[in-house]
Amino acid sequence: MLVLLPPSEGKAASGRGAALELGSLSLPGLTAAREAVLTELVDLCAGDEDKAREVLGLSEGLRGEVAKNAELRTAGARPAGEIYTGVLYDALGLASLDAAAKERAAASLLVFSGLWGAVRVTDRIPSYRCSMGVRLPGLGALGAHWRAATASVLPEAAGSGLVLDLRSAAYAAAWKPKGETAARTATVRVLYAPTRKVVSHFNKATKGRIVRSLLTAGAAPGDPAELVEALRDLGYEVEAAAPARAGAAWTLDVLVNEVH
């Protein structure tokens, strides 16, 4: 099982660990594309601060993020699972998983990123600010940049098992499973049961809890149909139907009765 996650806007501080080693990150086929984004981002942020804030879409209150980006090559690095914070990651609670579940997380979780493309939670990265919606002056739109880079790398990472895609739309643009891989892919919507409306904040928390439940239980569904059964066994109310056409991803609706 491969679980695709969005990053978080807010991130923990880099700390005082050893600096980034770009070549040590998982998915080495993305190294050249990572170097291209890193180089342009660092140069941009080391230059005109106001231009950098405009390109990155940062408010005046986030001006310090520009200086942080300028030091990415020398800043301390920590496991990505410690860098990413926020609602989904709080609910996932990587640090409090038992040893076996942590091993499963290391093997199955992949976090998408405007800067790194995609990283494992064990990959050591510095704290940064660069969303997938950014358009860098030299490289252009990051979504398109990463689509080209991930086209051959991600299908290999997905292997022959289930792909559970929990990314937001902006990060889903970086790689869209196709063909046989798409047929093994499931996306999740979180709906408020009484109204069948999509929830927002609680959506992230529920997705984090789903991943934690699967990791803790040691569940290993091989395809979307098996995922539906695994989630129901774990106490989730799930509605799903096979896609109308071959080679299309499944959409699972997880129903919740609370939205806070």
Side-chain angles (χ1 to χ4, degrees):
M1 178 175 65
L2 185 68
V3 182
L4 312 181
L5 298 174
S8 58
E9 284 297 320
K11 298 173 183 69
S14 293
R16 300 189 180 188
L20 169 73
E21 293 182 18
L22 201 61
S24 71
L25 300 181
S26 301
L27 308 179
L30 299 180
T31 300
R34 289 167 175 153
E35 178 62 43
V37 179
L38 180 63
T39 295
E40 184 166 356
L41 182 62
V42 169
D43 289 349
L44 172 70
C45 292
D48 186 329
E49 185 179 90
D50 289 330
K51 180 181 178 181
R53 279 204 304 119
E54 180 182 356
V55 170
L56 297 175
L58 301 178
S59 65
E60 174 66 29
L62 294 173
R63 183 177 289 271
E65 300 295 305
V66 175
K68 184 169 70 175
N69 280 350
E71 303 296 328
L72 282 172
R73 291 192 183 274
T74 56
R78 297 166 58 187
E82 297 177 13
I83 291 290
Y84 294 117
T85 59
V87 175
L88 188 153
Y89 290 90
D90 285 347
L92 172 52
L94 286 169
S96 62
L97 292 173
D98 62 35
K102 285 180 179 177
E103 288 186 8
R104 297 181 195 110
S108 62
L109 305 188
L110 203 59
V111 184
F112 276 68
S113 160
L115 175 52
W116 316 114
V119 292
R120 303 281 186 185
V121 292
T122 50
D123 284 330
R124 296 180 64 261
I125 59 173
S127 183
Y128 67 95
R129 193 75 175 223
C130 183
S131 70
M132 189 64 76
V134 164
R135 179 182 292 272
L136 291 174
L139 289 177
L142 289 180
H145 174 76
W146 287 116
R147 273 197 302 277
T150 59
S152 60
V153 176
L154 267 295
E156 182 178 351
S160 59
L162 169 72
V163 177
L164 175 54
D165 190 352
L166 301 179
R167 298 172 296 170
S168 55
Y171 290 91
W175 179 59
K176 183 176 181 180
K178 297 180 179 179
E180 189 267 339
T181 305
R184 293 183 280 106
T185 298
T187 62
V188 171
R189 298 191 307 175
V190 180
L191 305 182
Y192 182 47
T195 63
R196 290 301 199 275
K197 290 184 177 180
V198 175
V199 297
S200 53
H201 175 90
F202 202 67
N203 167 65
K204 296 178 181 179
T206 300
K207 287 179 177 179
R209 291 179 187 131
I210 285 172
V211 176
R212 183 181 179 89
S213 296
L214 291 169
L215 294 173
T216 301
D223 58 38
E226 291 182 8
L227 174 63
V228 172
E229 294 307 311
L231 291 176
R232 287 173 176 164
D233 288 345
L234 290 168
Y236 292 94
E237 185 178 355
V238 183
E239 294 180 348
R245 60 182 177 84
W250 290 48
T251 298
L252 311 187
D253 290 338
V254 175
L255 307 181
V256 298
N257 290 298
E258 298 178 328
V259 290
H260 58 273

